[in-house]
Amino acid sequence: MIQTTHSTGDRSPSGLFRMSAWEGEFERANAQLPRWYWNRDQRRRHYARWVEAEAETLAMRLSGLLRSDTPAEAAGAAHVLVESLARDIDWARRLEDSESKDGKFAHAA
């Protein structure tokens, strides 16, 4: 397995989604890594997509569990987490957009 280290800038604002976690998961799931994986910019783009998808899924699932009879303490905490996930989603979209506008991903393998 390939070990990679990253700065704290390689995680979502909530800290829930770390690039190192995505890389580990990706490396375990793929016996042979694609060429794009060795390009830092392309790897960051795929990481941003992963953050967006994971955060959206969690936010939708959590929101779907909330009902009018959900105890206020749990509902309040859930709303805070959903808002945090929304910030992660926005961050991931901006990360991908900024990378794409720089032209770094125009020719992804």
Side-chain angles (χ1 to χ4, degrees), residues 45-71:
R45 181 175 127 200
H46 284 271
Y47 163 67
R49 289 178 179 171
W50 174 77
V51 170
E52 182 180 1
E54 291 293 316
E56 282 180 340
T57 299
L58 288 173
M60 286 189 308
R61 292 191 69 187
L62 188 55
S63 293
L65 294 173
L66 296 173
R67 300 286 185 252
S68 60
D69 63 345
T70 302

Side-chain angles (χ1 to χ4, degrees), residues 15-37:
L16 293 172
F17 304 100
R18 296 176 181 269
M19 189 165 192
S20 59
W22 172 77
E23 287 172 332
E25 183 178 309
F26 191 84
E27 291 168 5
R28 282 187 298 278
N30 294 281
Q32 183 173 359
L33 298 171
R35 273 192 314 223
W36 62 258
Y37 188 81

Side-chain angles (χ1 to χ4, degrees), residues 7-19 44 47-48 50-52 54-56 80-96:
S7 69
T8 56
D10 289 332
R11 64 179 174 185
S12 67
S14 71
L16 293 172
F17 304 100
R18 296 176 181 269
M19 189 165 192
R44 285 181 60 81
Y47 163 67
W50 174 77
V51 170
E52 182 180 1
E54 291 293 316
E56 282 180 340
V80 168
L81 184 53
V82 168
E83 289 171 9
S84 184
L85 292 167
R87 285 190 296 277
D88 287 346
I89 293 165
D90 290 340
W91 173 83
R93 288 177 180 160
R94 284 192 315 272
L95 179 64
E96 185 174 4

